[in-house]
Amino acid sequence: EVQLLESGGGLVQPGGSLSLSCAASGFVFSNYAMHWVRQAPGKGLEWVSTISSGGSTYYADSLKGRFTISRDISKDTLYLEINSLRAEDTAVYFCAKNRVAATLPLSYDYWGQGTLVTVSS
Amino acid sequence: QTVVTQEPSLTVSPGGTVTLTCASSTGAVTTYYYPNWFQQKPGQAPRALIYSTSNKHSWTPARFSGSLLGGKAALTLSGVQPEDEAEYYCLLYYGGAQLFGGGTKLTVL
């Protein structure tokens, strides 16, 4: 059974940093592209970042420079590091798996339950 | 700035048929935008329904279908069930970047 379990969320002060994790199980983690998507309270989904199985990375233009996606194949874990946090980064952050190794064809399948990041003083 | 537009809300009767659309401000949506569709119910994570325009996942009910319609990506629900009441999001690919639509709140009434 495919499982994705996010962790690392919490209350952070503006300007702070945070590292989110997504522990994967039930599939060969190294063989698939992975995504991060966020959802602000009461708002829609926003694509954040994608990493291919080969390590190529992609970011939403508005988030470039503050967000870093990475993966540790030895730990079957996806990461998202966020720096210079702002109030508008407050959201539930979801990780999701792609059906294939590359980013194309774009084909999300399994999602985690998300982890809440709250940026406030 | 590129925008992906969905109907904000739609209402359908149980057993009816409804089509949700997904438009791009850049022009006609084609298969190269690899449209994905997701369903999200309150308090839950999104669930993938359709990928690459019209392909279903193993768990996608047969009443859901994806297509291209009039220059837009489309999600059609035929024989709507009460449990289909949810928010639906489309996702399009833009050469490395991805954009979600604003979502369509589907009410089954």
Side-chain angles (χ1 to χ4, degrees), chain A residues 6 23-24 29 40 42 44 61 97 105-106:
Chain A
E6 302 93 337
F29 178 69
D61 282 345
K97 173 185 166 293
L106 188 65

Side-chain angles (χ1 to χ4, degrees), chain A residues 36-38 46-50 58-60 63 67 80 93, chain B residues 100:
Chain A
W36 284 103
V37 173
R38 71 181 183 179
E46 180 184 14
W47 174 69
V48 173
S49 182
T50 293
Y58 307 87
Y59 299 93
L63 305 178
F67 287 64
L80 184 70
Y93 286 74
Chain B
F100 281 95

